[in-house]
């Protein structure tokens, strides 16, 4: 009996955060005997990974021989933005239920995609459920160390510059490691209506009137929803001046929010004045995508504590939280 053809020239296409299409070529001899394909999929080993950790099982998919390309979806819990290796062999099921198989193909590497707008909209809808009532606020603020503001004045002509967002939050977030912006907060204390005096990011605070950053000439986008093994949750929003590079980046990747009517952050005109509200029950992290001159606001030392435990720098999302995870990866 002739050996079964070995798949070669494997091609991966139509990659999403939780699916992909796979195709390959094979010699025509004995092709008609093929009844199944075996596909072996593994997360690419990190050189720092634990050599004794059990591998994910099962890694082998047994699929009926269907016309190629074949869509692989839902057979594994694929994670977004993750490197995988894949190999294929052809198989012929015998009358006794056993399989005759070909040699394995070469191993191909690929990386799954970020969350799409569809997935982010699912996260958005989950965040809306717990956002709570809206509280009035009037300033955005950014805490840093004194050295940071000194450096901005000396080396950047007094203007805070956007920097690439770190990898905190959802693993599949399309803004992590890609979007450039400046982080601001807007949370207020319930009893005073003013920003809290404590901060995890430094004892010096830049405050700027809300209308300087968020107004009819900016667009608002939903970026992420996550927690860090805690009871409270974070929502990342992006404010981008209309037509700016940041706006173009977000328009292609993130759900846009109605600035006047959403569950997280609103800007409405009342009696000729812009009035601002933020959600009470989530911690908002607001990214502004353009440079901001320090002369537009004030820098002063806070009177409270520096609570380092609340920092979200490169924080990993809790993958087991039912409140802020969706079913397509971490």
């Amino acid at each position: 009996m002739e050996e079964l053809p070995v798949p070669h020239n494997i091609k991966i296409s139509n990659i999403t955060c939780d699916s992909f299409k796979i195709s390959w070529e094979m010699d025509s001899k004995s092709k008609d005997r093929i009844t199944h394909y075996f596909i072996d999929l593994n997360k690419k080993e990190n050189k720092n990974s634990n050599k004794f950790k059990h591998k994910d099982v099962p890694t082998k998919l047994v699929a009926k021989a269907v016309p190629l390309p074949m869509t692989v979806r839902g057979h594994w819990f694929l994670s977004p933005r993750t490197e995988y290796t894949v190999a294929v062999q052809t198989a012929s099921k015998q009358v006794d239920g056993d399989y005759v198989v070909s040699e394995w193909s070469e191993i191909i590497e690929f990386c799954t995609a970020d969350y799409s707008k569809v997935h982010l909209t699912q996260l958005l809808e989950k965040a809306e459920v717990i956002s709570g009532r809206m509280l009035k606020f009037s300033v955005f603020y950014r805490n840093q160390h004194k050295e940071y503001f000194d450096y901005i004045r000396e080396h950047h002509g007094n203007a805070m510059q956007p920097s690439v967002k770190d990898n905190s939050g959802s693993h599949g977030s399309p803004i992590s490691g890609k979007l450039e912006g400046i982080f601001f907060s807007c949370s207020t204390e319930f009893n005073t209506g003013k920003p809290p005096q404590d901060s995890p990011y430094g004892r010096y605070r830049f405050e700027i009137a809300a209308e300087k950053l968020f107004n009819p000439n900016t667009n608002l986008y939903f970026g992420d929803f996550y927690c860090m093994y805690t009871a409270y949750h974070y929502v990342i929003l992006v404010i981008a001046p209309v037509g700016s590079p940041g706006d173009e980046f977000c328009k292609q990747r993130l759900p846009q929010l109605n600035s006047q009517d959403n569950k997280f952050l609103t800007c409405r005109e009342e009696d000729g004045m812009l009035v601002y509200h933020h959600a009470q029950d989530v911690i908002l992290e607001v990214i502004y995508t353009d440079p901001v001159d320090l002369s537009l606001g004030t820098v002063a030392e806070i009177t409270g504590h520096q609570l380092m435990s609340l920092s979200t720098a490169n924080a990993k999302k809790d993958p087991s939280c039912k409140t802020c995870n969706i079913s397509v990866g971490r």
Side-chain angles (χ1 to χ4, degrees):
M1 188 179 291
E2 287 191 40
E3 291 184 356
L4 292 172
V6 180
H8 61 274
N9 197 22
I10 296 173
K11 286 187 167 56
I12 305 291
S13 60
N14 296 77
I15 299 171
T16 71
C17 67
D18 65 345
S19 69
F20 62 92
K21 285 188 176 181
I22 184 169
S23 63
W24 57 83
E25 296 174 8
M26 49 191 167
D27 296 333
S28 56
K29 64 176 183 178
S30 302
K31 199 172 177 179
D32 55 347
R33 289 176 45 225
I34 298 172
T35 61
H36 291 77
Y37 303 134
F38 290 178
I39 301 175
D40 192 43
L41 181 76
N42 291 283
K43 281 187 182 178
K44 189 176 175 185
E45 282 295 326
N46 186 317
K47 61 185 176 186
N48 297 321
S49 63
N50 183 352
K51 295 288 190 295
F52 300 100
K53 183 181 176 184
H54 290 295
K55 286 179 177 286
D56 296 333
V57 288
T59 59
K60 189 182 292 182
L61 167 67
V62 179
K64 286 187 176 179
V66 296
L68 301 176
M70 182 176 80
T71 299
V72 177
R73 179 199 303 277
H75 303 93
W76 293 277
F77 191 78
L78 287 170
S79 296
R81 201 186 275 204
T82 302
E83 291 184 328
Y84 288 92
T85 61
V86 64
V88 188
Q89 60 183 175
T90 56
S92 177
K93 192 170 186 177
Q94 308 298 291
V95 289
D96 61 3
D98 286 343
Y99 290 94
V100 174
V101 296
S102 72
E103 295 291 319
W104 282 105
S105 70
E106 75 273 27
I107 296 172
I108 299 296
E109 298 179 2
F110 72 100
C111 186
T112 47
D114 296 333
Y115 284 154
S116 67
K117 280 188 183 180
V118 171
H119 302 115
L120 287 171
T121 300
Q122 293 175 23
L123 270 183
L124 162 63
E125 290 168 352
K126 278 180 159 277
E128 287 177 334
V129 173
I130 68 158
S131 58
R133 69 190 188 102
M134 304 291 278
L135 298 178
K136 204 169 182 179
F137 78 101
S138 60
V139 298
F140 289 104
Y141 56 94
R142 173 175 172 79
N143 276 68
Q144 281 286 353
H145 301 286
K146 182 178 182 295
E147 292 76 15
Y148 168 84
F149 293 111
D150 290 342
Y151 186 85
I152 294 300
R153 294 185 187 101
E154 292 173 25
H155 298 280
H156 289 293
N158 218 44
M160 293 185 290
Q161 300 297 314
S163 59
V164 176
K165 184 197 169 297
D166 66 12
N167 288 315
S168 60
S170 299
H171 188 58
S173 171
I175 62 177
S176 291
K178 295 181 180 178
L179 177 68
E180 293 188 0
I182 305 170
F183 264 105
F184 286 92
S185 300
C186 62
S187 298
T188 54
E189 291 183 320
F190 178 74
N191 55 342
T192 66
K194 295 181 178 180
Q197 279 301 309
D198 299 325
S199 169
Y201 299 110
R203 294 195 56 79
Y204 283 78
R205 174 173 294 168
F206 171 74
E207 281 192 13
I208 183 170
E211 61 264 25
K212 298 280 180 67
L213 300 186
F214 188 28
N215 53 59
N217 296 316
T218 57
N219 284 326
L220 180 67
Y221 298 90
F222 173 83
D224 201 3
F225 176 46
Y226 71 100
C227 71
M228 304 179 298
Y229 303 89
T230 52
Y232 44 87
H233 282 77
Y234 296 84
V235 169
I236 297 179
L237 302 176
V238 183
I239 298 175
V242 174
S244 67
D247 190 36
E248 294 304 314
F249 177 96
C250 294
K251 198 171 289 183
Q252 296 172 31
R253 298 168 178 83
L254 305 181
Q256 186 169 349
L257 300 175
N258 182 336
S259 296
Q260 299 180 53
D261 184 18
N262 67 80
K263 299 277 192 181
F264 310 111
L265 188 71
T266 59
C267 165
R268 294 177 184 154
E269 188 170 334
E270 295 178 12
D271 300 326
M273 302 273 290
L274 292 177
V275 178
Y276 295 87
H277 290 83
H278 71 81
Q280 175 186 357
D281 292 345
V282 290
I283 299 173
L284 295 182
E285 297 183 308
V286 180
I287 301 176
Y288 187 76
T289 61
D290 270 15
V292 176
D293 199 290
L294 293 178
S295 65
L296 295 175
T298 59
V299 177
E301 188 172 3
I302 59 173
T303 58
H305 301 286
Q306 188 175 336
L307 305 174
M308 294 306 293
S309 61
L310 294 180
S311 171
T312 61
N314 284 308
K316 298 304 175 193
K317 179 174 182 174
D318 177 2
S320 64
C321 177
K322 291 182 171 57
T323 302
C324 62
N325 279 288
I326 54 178
S327 61
V328 290
R330 303 300 197 225

